Amino acid sequence: MSKFKHFIAVIALTIISTVGLYALFRFFLFRMPAQASREAVPIDQMADFHFMLQAFLFAVIMVIMLYAVYAFRRQPGDDSDGPHTHGHTGLEIIWTVIPTMAVVGFGIYGIVVLTDLLDERPGERTIEVVGQQWSWQFIYPDAGNKIGSELGLLVNEPVLLQMYARDVIHSFWVPEFRVKQDLLPIGNPEDEITYQPLRFTPTLEGTYIVRCAEMCGLQHSQMFATVRVMNQAAYDDWLETTVTGWISVDDIELLPDMSPEERGAFFYTYFGCSGCHALDDTPGLAGPTWQGLYGRERELSDGTTVIADDPYLYESILHPNARIVAGFFANTMPDNFEERFNQFVFGDADQTTNDLIAYIRSLNADEEAGAEAPAP
Ligand code: CUA
């Protein structure tokens, strides 16, 4: 075969391999979830461009190597030495300059896309996001500073999340939105909060899950919250039916005038108990439900039983590893609530804990008013 034919064969094989590898990457190995934000478009384009380049580079190297191994293999009876080659200055310059330009080009491309993503958007709604082991809280400054464990967003409305963490680093990540941002701990509670901003515009109505993308302890993999992207009508309805029932951060001032049960209900959300303890029979949470909990006999992991009375609940809130309910694990619940309650502007650990117990006790009363207490 002439030199020209080898050249044509290598080019043809490289094109076929590039297309095949690109299809493999794009449609089988690295399939993307739905594009649910405006930001997903440029990010996916960039990822797509990477796939193309990777497919081409892998193809060109493998095709030339395998083709050379096959086409220029030693012929039977040929015992002579192969041709002696030295370096090739022109070739070396080419394979230094082209990859350098490609890497620098991608760097510039990345900076342009990132700058665009960080830019302020006109009319963006601000929502505060608080991460803690192992739950998410969302505070709505334009809805009376209501605080809840669900993120509700209006479709096609730009949003600015102002985020921080109460304990360790967490990371806000909804794969469908493509963007991701770490939440940094505030450190000293008296210090001013440093917010980490994250901007995006959801474009696809639906329900998504925010997951934590930074290893933050034992229940890191369970640190989820629901994200709802809604149209105007559904959003208004959600504000009306769901958010209205939430507590407001502004109510902290009203705490001294509330009943212990009301304060306990506030703390249940405020301190993130709701992340692991349901008030109904939702399965799969990291901690036992509070439904019908008060006064019930609990089977512990060491085989003994205990009645969930005031002293037991008190111990379980402040020293969660002392006794573990069967079916749950030690070192799951953070062991720092005594400190956190003491640092809280109102009340001390003792009072806050007793308020939570009063709330747990009141849940039984609610139930007795309704139906019989359900089985555990
Ligand atoms: Cu929070 Cu991982």
Side-chain angles (χ1 to χ4, degrees), residues 300 306 309-324 333 335 353 357:
L300 300 178
V306 65
D309 54 7
D310 287 39
Y312 166 77
L313 292 174
Y314 191 95
E315 179 191 65
S316 296
I317 293 169
L318 296 186
H319 308 291
N321 291 323
R323 283 183 277 189
I324 302 298
M333 179 165 155
D335 198 358
T353 310
I357 295 170

Side-chain angles (χ1 to χ4, degrees), residues 172-290:
F172 180 99
W173 184 42
V174 179
E176 289 83 357
F177 298 154
R178 302 293 191 275
V179 289
K180 177 152 100 41
Q181 174 62 50
D182 281 8
L183 290 69
L184 303 185
I186 40 173
N188 202 325
E190 282 92 51
D191 290 351
E192 212 173 305
I193 295 170
T194 313
Y195 292 101
Q196 306 301 319
L198 179 66
R199 293 185 158 91
F200 58 91
T201 306
T203 50
L204 194 64
E205 284 173 45
T207 303
Y208 308 96
I209 290 173
V210 50
R211 55 207 77 205
C212 179
E214 183 65 52
M215 177 63 193
C216 58
L218 265 186
Q219 295 297 314
H220 152 72
S221 63
Q222 302 297 316
M223 191 169 160
F224 298 130
T226 303
V227 181
R228 295 182 201 285
V229 177
M230 298 166 277
N231 60 32
Q232 187 72 56
Y235 186 78
D236 292 344
D237 191 51
W238 176 78
L239 281 179
E240 188 82 20
T241 54
T242 306
V243 178
T244 311
W246 289 355
I247 60 164
S248 164
V249 178
D250 299 341
D251 293 346
I252 288 178
E253 289 176 29
L254 306 176
L255 285 174
D257 301 326
M258 290 185 191
S259 69
E261 292 79 19
E262 285 168 339
R263 278 199 299 268
F266 181 92
F267 296 144
Y268 171 72
T269 303
Y270 189 81
F271 286 107
C273 313
S274 53
C276 303
H277 299 282
L279 300 180
D280 54 22
D281 49 8
T282 307
L285 292 180
T289 176
W290 286 4

